[in-house]
Amino acid sequence: MIQTNSENLSLEQAQAMLQQFDYDRSDPVASTPQQVQAALKQVAQHSDYQILGICADHLDQGRTALVAYATALGYPVQPDGLTAIDGPVYIKFNPKTGLLYSDRYVGDHRGVLVSCQSAYAEGLNEMYGHLPLDLFSATA
């Protein structure tokens, strides 16, 4: 069972909590937004950097999620240069290379994919998501 005290999550507990958001998982774990935030920050500490992929209903929603997640993970981002797109959008942000782009998205999933990257094979190289778009919003 996952601890409810998010400050004391082990890496394994954090990973288990984040894995509940895998789109084909049928056994979700009850957790609060604050616990999921803490879990994401815990796995981020065990990887070299994280790539964000955002699937949203429209560009403004995606941009808001991008800024919130990037800020929470300690990355500066200037999303003003994203290509204007009508309808569902996919935004990718790689803070290591500075790559930031948007494109049309035809899938049904909505949320944020966080791909943890490590320089070594034994490091943390996992993807989590689709995490809630509003996980780091003021109302979450």
Side-chain angles (χ1 to χ4, degrees):
M1 173 145 179
I2 295 177
Q3 285 179 236
T4 57
N5 184 350
S6 57
E7 293 179 11
N8 296 323
L9 284 177
S10 70
L11 177 58
E12 293 77 20
Q13 290 169 320
Q15 289 177 300
M17 186 177 295
L18 294 174
Q19 288 167 351
Q20 75 177 311
F21 294 97
D22 187 353
Y23 68 91
D24 64 354
R25 185 162 174 169
S26 60
D27 58 338
V29 177
S31 54
T32 67
Q34 293 79 15
Q35 290 170 318
V36 177
Q37 291 170 1
L40 183 57
K41 289 177 181 179
Q42 173 75 309
V43 299
Q45 290 178 352
H46 288 84
S47 62
D48 294 325
Y49 66 100
Q50 302 77 43
I51 297 173
L52 302 177
I54 296 148
C55 304
D57 287 326
H58 50 83
L59 188 61
D60 287 341
Q61 182 185 46
R63 185 183 294 122
T64 298
L66 169 65
V67 170
Y69 272 79
T71 300
L73 294 172
Y75 298 118
V77 62
Q78 297 295 325
D80 299 335
L82 290 171
T83 303
I85 295 172
D86 290 327
V89 63
Y90 175 76
I91 298 171
K92 182 174 182 179
F93 175 54
N94 182 332
K96 185 172 184 177
T97 64
L99 175 70
L100 174 64
Y101 75 89
S102 58
D103 201 355
R104 295 190 189 287
Y105 177 65
V106 296
D108 295 327
H109 299 290
R110 297 295 184 264
V112 178
L113 298 165
V114 179
S115 179
C116 295
Q117 305 290 309
S118 293
Y120 302 101
E122 62 275 2
L124 181 62
N125 292 291
E126 295 287 334
M127 184 164 65
Y128 304 99
H130 293 87
L131 300 170
L133 288 163
D134 64 351
L135 181 63
F136 290 100
S137 72
T139 60

Coordinates of all heavy atoms in Angstrom, one line a residue, residues 99-131:
L99 N 13.9 22.2 -27.3 CA 12.9 21.9 -28.3 C 11.5 22.1 -27.7 O 11.2 21.6 -26.7 CB 12.9 20.4 -28.8 CG 11.8 20.0 -29.8 CD1 12.0 20.7 -31.1 CD2 11.8 18.5 -29.9
L100 N 10.7 22.9 -28.4 CA 9.3 23.2 -28.0 C 8.5 23.4 -29.2 O 8.8 24.2 -30.1 CB 9.2 24.5 -27.1 CG 7.9 25.0 -26.8 CD1 7.1 24.0 -25.8 CD2 7.9 26.3 -26.1
Y101 N 7.5 22.5 -29.4 CA 6.6 22.6 -30.6 C 5.2 22.2 -30.3 O 5.0 21.4 -29.3 CB 7.2 21.9 -31.8 CG 7.1 20.4 -31.8 CD1 6.0 19.8 -32.3 CD2 8.1 19.6 -31.2 CE1 5.9 18.4 -32.2 CE2 8.0 18.3 -31.2 CZ 6.9 17.6 -31.7 OH 6.8 16.3 -31.7
S102 N 4.3 22.6 -31.2 CA 2.9 22.1 -31.1 C 2.5 21.6 -32.4 O 3.0 22.0 -33.4 CB 2.0 23.3 -30.6 OG 2.1 24.3 -31.5
D103 N 1.5 20.6 -32.4 CA 1.0 20.0 -33.6 C -0.4 19.6 -33.3 O -0.8 19.5 -32.2 CB 1.9 18.8 -34.0 CG 1.8 18.4 -35.4 OD1 0.9 19.0 -36.2 OD2 2.5 17.5 -35.8
R104 N -1.1 19.3 -34.4 CA -2.5 18.8 -34.2 C -2.4 17.4 -33.5 O -1.5 16.7 -33.7 CB -3.2 18.7 -35.6 CG -3.4 20.0 -36.2 CD -4.3 19.8 -37.5 NE -4.3 21.0 -38.2 CZ -5.0 22.1 -37.9 NH1 -5.6 22.1 -36.8 NH2 -5.0 23.2 -38.6
Y105 N -3.5 17.2 -32.7 CA -3.5 15.9 -32.0 C -4.9 15.2 -32.4 O -5.9 15.8 -32.1 CB -3.4 16.1 -30.5 CG -3.5 14.8 -29.7 CD1 -2.6 13.8 -29.9 CD2 -4.5 14.6 -28.8 CE1 -2.6 12.6 -29.1 CE2 -4.6 13.5 -28.1 CZ -3.7 12.5 -28.2 OH -3.8 11.3 -27.5
V106 N -4.8 14.0 -32.9 CA -6.1 13.3 -33.3 C -6.5 12.2 -32.3 O -7.5 11.6 -32.5 CB -6.0 12.8 -34.7 CG1 -5.8 13.9 -35.7 CG2 -4.8 11.8 -34.8
G107 N -5.7 12.0 -31.3 CA -6.0 11.0 -30.3 C -7.1 11.4 -29.3 O -7.5 12.6 -29.2
D108 N -7.5 10.4 -28.5 CA -8.6 10.7 -27.5 C -8.0 11.0 -26.1 O -8.8 11.5 -25.3 CB -9.5 9.5 -27.4 CG -10.3 9.2 -28.7 OD1 -10.6 10.2 -29.4 OD2 -10.5 8.1 -29.0
H109 N -6.8 10.7 -25.9 CA -6.2 10.9 -24.5 C -6.0 12.4 -24.3 O -5.6 13.1 -25.2 CB -5.0 10.1 -24.4 CG -5.2 8.6 -24.5 ND1 -5.8 7.9 -23.6 CD2 -4.8 7.8 -25.5 CE1 -5.9 6.6 -24.0 NE2 -5.2 6.5 -25.2
R110 N -6.2 12.7 -23.0 CA -5.9 14.1 -22.6 C -5.0 14.0 -21.3 O -5.3 13.2 -20.5 CB -7.1 14.9 -22.3 CG -8.0 15.1 -23.5 CD -7.4 16.0 -24.6 NE -8.2 16.3 -25.7 CZ -8.3 15.5 -26.8 NH1 -7.5 14.5 -27.0 NH2 -9.1 15.9 -27.8
G111 N -4.0 14.8 -21.2 CA -3.1 14.8 -20.1 C -1.7 15.1 -20.4 O -1.4 15.4 -21.6
V112 N -0.8 14.9 -19.4 CA 0.6 15.2 -19.6 C 1.4 13.9 -19.5 O 1.2 13.1 -18.5 CB 1.0 16.2 -18.5 CG1 2.5 16.5 -18.7 CG2 0.2 17.5 -18.7
L113 N 2.2 13.6 -20.4 CA 3.2 12.5 -20.4 C 4.5 13.1 -19.9 O 5.0 14.1 -20.4 CB 3.4 11.9 -21.8 CG 2.1 11.3 -22.4 CD1 2.3 11.1 -23.9 CD2 1.8 10.0 -21.7
V114 N 5.1 12.5 -18.9 CA 6.4 12.9 -18.4 C 7.4 11.7 -18.6 O 7.2 10.7 -18.0 CB 6.3 13.2 -16.9 CG1 7.7 13.7 -16.4 CG2 5.3 14.3 -16.7
S115 N 8.3 12.0 -19.5 CA 9.3 11.0 -19.8 C 10.6 11.3 -19.0 O 11.3 12.3 -19.3 CB 9.6 10.9 -21.3 OG 10.6 10.0 -21.6
C116 N 10.9 10.5 -18.1 CA 12.1 10.7 -17.3 C 13.3 10.1 -18.0 O 13.3 8.9 -18.4 CB 12.0 10.0 -15.9 SG 10.7 10.8 -14.9
Q117 N 14.4 10.9 -18.2 CA 15.5 10.5 -18.9 C 16.8 10.5 -18.0 O 17.0 11.4 -17.3 CB 15.8 11.5 -20.1 CG 14.6 11.7 -21.0 CD 14.3 10.4 -21.8 OE1 15.2 9.9 -22.5 NE2 13.1 10.0 -21.8
S118 N 17.6 9.4 -18.2 CA 18.8 9.3 -17.5 C 19.9 9.0 -18.4 O 19.7 8.3 -19.4 CB 18.8 8.3 -16.4 OG 17.9 8.6 -15.4
A119 N 21.1 9.5 -18.1 CA 22.3 9.3 -19.0 C 22.7 7.8 -19.1 O 23.3 7.4 -20.0 CB 23.4 10.2 -18.6
Y120 N 22.4 7.0 -18.1 CA 22.9 5.7 -18.0 C 21.7 4.7 -18.0 O 20.6 5.0 -17.4 CB 23.7 5.5 -16.7 CG 24.9 6.4 -16.7 CD1 24.9 7.6 -15.9 CD2 26.0 6.1 -17.4 CE1 25.9 8.4 -15.9 CE2 27.1 7.0 -17.4 CZ 27.0 8.2 -16.7 OH 28.1 9.0 -16.7
A121 N 21.9 3.5 -18.5 CA 20.8 2.5 -18.6 C 20.3 2.2 -17.2 O 19.1 1.9 -17.1 CB 21.3 1.3 -19.3
E122 N 21.1 2.1 -16.2 CA 20.6 1.8 -14.9 C 19.9 2.9 -14.2 O 19.4 2.8 -13.1 CB 21.8 1.2 -14.0 CG 22.9 2.2 -13.8 CD 24.0 2.3 -14.8 OE1 23.8 1.6 -15.9 OE2 24.9 3.0 -14.7
G123 N 19.9 4.1 -14.8 CA 19.2 5.2 -14.2 C 17.7 5.1 -14.5 O 17.2 4.1 -15.1
L124 N 17.0 6.1 -14.0 CA 15.5 6.1 -14.2 C 15.2 6.6 -15.6 O 15.4 7.7 -15.9 CB 14.9 7.0 -13.1 CG 13.3 7.1 -13.1 CD1 12.7 5.7 -12.9 CD2 12.8 8.1 -12.1
N125 N 14.7 5.7 -16.4 CA 14.2 5.9 -17.8 C 12.8 5.4 -17.9 O 12.6 4.3 -18.4 CB 15.2 5.3 -18.8 CG 16.5 5.9 -18.8 OD1 16.7 7.1 -19.2 ND2 17.5 5.2 -18.3
E126 N 11.8 6.2 -17.5 CA 10.4 5.7 -17.5 C 9.6 6.9 -18.0 O 9.9 8.0 -17.8 CB 10.0 5.4 -16.1 CG 10.7 4.2 -15.4 CD 10.3 2.9 -16.0 OE1 9.1 2.8 -16.6 OE2 11.1 1.9 -16.0
M127 N 8.4 6.5 -18.5 CA 7.4 7.5 -18.9 C 6.2 7.3 -18.0 O 5.7 6.2 -17.8 CB 7.0 7.4 -20.3 CG 6.1 8.5 -20.8 SD 5.9 8.7 -22.5 CE 5.2 7.2 -23.0
Y128 N 5.6 8.4 -17.6 CA 4.4 8.4 -16.7 C 3.3 9.2 -17.4 O 3.6 10.3 -17.9 CB 4.7 8.9 -15.3 CG 5.8 8.1 -14.6 CD1 7.1 8.6 -14.6 CD2 5.6 6.9 -14.1 CE1 8.1 7.9 -14.0 CE2 6.6 6.2 -13.5 CZ 7.9 6.7 -13.5 OH 8.9 6.0 -12.9
G129 N 2.1 8.7 -17.3 CA 1.0 9.5 -17.9 C 0.0 8.7 -18.6 O 0.3 7.5 -18.8
H130 N -1.0 9.3 -18.8 CA -1.3 10.7 -18.9 C -1.8 11.3 -17.5 O -2.8 11.0 -17.0 CB -2.5 10.9 -19.9 CG -2.1 10.5 -21.3 ND1 -2.2 9.3 -21.8 CD2 -1.7 11.3 -22.3 CE1 -1.9 9.3 -23.1 NE2 -1.5 10.5 -23.4
L131 N -0.9 12.2 -17.0 CA -1.2 12.8 -15.7 C -2.2 14.0 -16.0 O -2.3 14.5 -17.1 CB 0.1 13.4 -15.1 CG 1.2 12.3 -14.8 CD1 2.5 13.0 -14.4 CD2 0.7 11.4 -13.7

